[in-house]
Every structure is written in C-alpha cells, then in structure tokens.
Amino acid sequence: MVRTTTSRILVLGTVSALVACGGGGSSGGSSDGGGGAPTSPPESVELELDAGGLSEQRALVEGFQDFQEVLDVYSGAEQTYLSIDEIREAALELDDAVGQSGNTVTVRCDNPGSGTLAFTLNRETETDFTLEFRNCQLATAELGTVVLNGTYTYVNLVSETDSSREVDGFQIVDLTGTIVSGSEPIAMQGSDAWETSTPLQAGSGPREETYTTDALEFLRGGDYKAITNAVTTLSSQGGITEVTINSRLIGSATDGYVDISTTTTMKRPTGGGCPDEGVVRIIGEPEASGIEIAYGVSILPPPVMGSGTEARATVIGTSDTEDYTEAECEALIF
C-alpha cells in the first residue's frame, strides 16, 4: 500500500520542461502555492455509493460459510487498491500531449479523438499531481480496458530529519466509468493516507508505517465494497514486522458490514509469510459473534507437532475451528 511514484515518465518530464521554460507557475490562487489541489487529506470522507444502506447493518457471521464471504469481500477490497494504483500508473504512461495551460498538460488517451487526460502538477513537484479523466480509455491488468471520467489527486511529500526519512502522502479518488468488456459500469471514490518513517542509519530503530482510510468505495455493476474507519500500523526491525489492524469492511456479498481488529499484535517475517503470532477478530451480527483467527504461538490449544497448521479460525463462542497451512494462510487477514 505504499504510494510512491518515482519513475521518470515522459509526461512528467514534459510538464517539468514547460514549467522550467516559463509556461508553468501557479495555475490557481490557493494558499498551497500550486494548482489549487489540497496539500493535506480531506478532514472527513462520506460514503456516496452505498445506495442499499449496507453501512447501516451488520453482516451475519455465524459460521465458516459467512467467514469465507467476508474473506472474499476483503480480498476484493484489496484489489480495489490495486486497481487504483494501476489506473494511476497507466495514466502516467500516456505521452501524446495535445495542449498545455499553466501547470496543466492535456494528453490523448487510448481512444484518440474522444478521450483526454489533463495532468496538473500541484506545487510544481513531480510527486504531487491531479489527473482529470475525460472519457479516457486505459488498459489495466486488474479491470481490463476501462473508460473513465472524474479526478484523482496524489500527494507524496518526502522530508528528512537528522535521524530519519519521512514520507507523508494521500490520494483522493472520484472516478466513474465503464469496463469495456461487457460494458460494466464502475465507480470508485474516497481517500486514504499514509505516513512512514525510516531510520537513516540501519539498525538505529524500526521503520514505522501508518495507513488510514476514512472511506474508500468501489462499485462494479451491482457489487459493492468499501473500507471505512481503517487504521493499519506496521513496525519493522530485525527482520520482524509487527502489525495492527482496525477497520470496518462493507460488502454487498455479505449484506452488511463487519468490524476487523487485532486483539493481539501480529508478528510476521518482514519479507512476508504467515504471522508467527497474533489474533484477529471479525465481528458481525449478532454483535458479539464472529470469527477469531489465531496465528503461530497464539493458537490455543497448540496444534499437533508436524501438522503444518500455521493459523486457526474459531467461531466465537463455539468449539468450531478450521486449521490453515502456510499456503492456505495467504487467503486470511493479516
């Protein structure tokens, strides 16, 4: 989920050259000194695509079939983040410029003659920009070919102290469109933010990461997914990453929302893999019911030696359990 754009692509170079030659400067009168886009995340983000009121009702989580539906929505929500990243990267690869005004360059999309993208450098820095899609066709791996309208803002501010490198950023998404194959309508809107701190001297302290999402929604046809009130923290040092998660997951497939939280901090190898420790709770309807996932040494009672069990899910308040191997663990929440 780290949102960093460092590649020197042609459109960025085009905008930078125009600004350097006197074609740039502030294209707006806002106090941020750039094109008028915000330089801090929105104070609050409301749900706009939840026409069915799913955010107002808890989802039933009474057994493992319900649990699988929650995992499917969770996986789909993760793919939403990936889709947004792919849309941004595909947009930034467009390089057929057709006009320029102030800090804004307009380029043709993959449907020449009808689709354009306006790229605005905000505060004249290459990692601080707004994209305006105007019937713009793009190819993505996750969604396939899409045609989009709307705006996307990305800010990623990097600074250094005497001891660490700091990154503060956010993205604001407000897009509608169509997946060309099947003419399926899509919409995505919301905002999320990130903060990271990395020691300049290796071994002098942990790398700290915090990701927050007030609300991020994705609608594909009639399938709705959203994440709200989400805070994920990671602290990495000595090859171990400690992770905490708190969020609300909403989905049409679960007919409501569940709350997800870590009751015991997860510890896993920094390079990936199933956690060696930790407990995650998924609470639905009834309010005190749900699923508890325990990892590694947090599994009680401990699995049989050599069984391959790396995680265990338990229906809260019952003795119903399912065990997961290292490979199966990848489909869980951690």
Side-chain angles (χ1 to χ4, degrees):
M1 282 178 59
V2 181
R3 321 284 193 221
T4 54
T5 301
T6 56
S7 59
R8 293 284 303 190
I9 57 173
L10 183 55
V11 70
L12 284 175
T14 300
V15 176
S16 297
L18 290 168
V19 171
C21 292
S26 174
S27 60
S30 67
S31 60
D32 61 26
T39 54
S40 60
E43 291 185 2
S44 64
V45 180
E46 303 296 330
L47 295 175
E48 297 180 4
L49 307 178
D50 181 20
L54 296 171
S55 61
E56 300 174 3
Q57 60 192 40
R58 287 186 175 272
L60 285 175
V61 187
E62 297 181 312
F64 288 108
Q65 179 60 45
D66 297 332
F67 176 48
Q68 184 57 56
E69 290 175 352
V70 171
L71 291 179
D72 290 344
V73 174
Y74 185 83
S75 175
E78 288 189 321
Q79 295 307 306
T80 297
Y81 285 104
L82 177 60
S83 297
I84 293 170
D85 286 347
E86 290 181 350
I87 288 169
R88 181 187 67 239
E89 295 305 317
L92 296 180
E93 291 294 336
L94 298 172
D95 58 14
D96 186 6
V98 294
Q100 182 262 332
S101 175
N103 275 12
T104 300
V105 169
T106 300
V107 297
R108 290 189 179 91
C109 298
D110 292 341
N111 46 342
S114 60
T116 60
L117 172 80
F119 180 100
T120 301
L121 279 180
N122 305 314
R123 302 186 318 111
E124 300 178 11
T125 169
E126 292 182 10
T127 55
D128 188 354
F129 55 82
T130 294
L131 306 175
E132 182 181 352
F133 298 83
R134 304 163 180 166
N135 194 41
C136 180
Q137 180 173 303
L138 298 166
T140 71
E142 185 62 31
L143 296 175
T145 301
V146 295
V147 177
L148 297 173
N149 289 284
T151 59
Y152 171 85
T153 293
Y154 177 96
V155 172
N156 199 63
L157 307 175
V158 180
S159 61
E160 285 191 2
T161 67
D162 291 339
S163 59
S164 64
R165 180 177 187 267
E166 311 289 332
V167 177
D168 297 283
F170 65 92
Q171 61 180 356
I172 303 172
V173 186
D174 186 8
L175 297 173
T176 60
T178 304
I179 299 175
V180 173
S181 176
S183 299
E184 191 172 26
I186 56 172
M188 52 191 77
Q189 84 86 31
S191 175
D192 66 342
W194 52 93
E195 299 178 2
T196 70
S197 178
T198 305
L200 294 179
Q201 182 176 351
S204 63
R207 170 183 167 85
E208 304 283 0
E209 305 170 64
T210 301
Y211 302 95
T212 60
T213 302
D214 285 341
L216 187 62
E217 302 173 278
F218 182 70
L219 184 63
R220 177 173 180 172
D223 183 30
Y224 175 82
K225 300 178 179 69
I227 294 177
T228 66
N229 306 322
V231 179
T232 300
T233 68
L234 298 90
S235 180
S236 303
Q237 187 173 23
I240 299 296
T241 297
E242 297 186 359
V243 183
T244 66
I245 300 172
N246 285 278
S247 69
R248 176 162 289 186
L249 178 68
I250 309 166
S252 53
T254 53
D255 196 29
Y257 71 83
V258 297
D259 290 320
I260 302 173
S261 63
T262 43
T263 57
T264 300
T265 298
M266 289 179 285
K267 297 180 181 180
R268 60 173 175 78
T270 298
C274 198
D276 299 319
E277 180 180 348
V279 177
V280 175
R281 279 200 165 207
I282 301 167
I283 300 298
E285 176 68 35
E287 191 169 345
S289 72
I291 299 288
E292 184 174 86
I293 313 169
Y295 297 95
V297 297
S298 297
I299 299 174
L300 295 175
V304 175
M305 184 74 70
S307 66
T309 297
E310 299 291 336
R312 176 175 293 157
T314 302
V315 179
I316 295 172
T318 77
S319 58
D320 295 340
T321 63
E322 285 195 2
D323 288 354
Y324 300 84
T325 64
E326 175 78 30
E328 294 168 334
C329 176
E330 294 181 0
L332 299 177
I333 297 171
F334 60 87

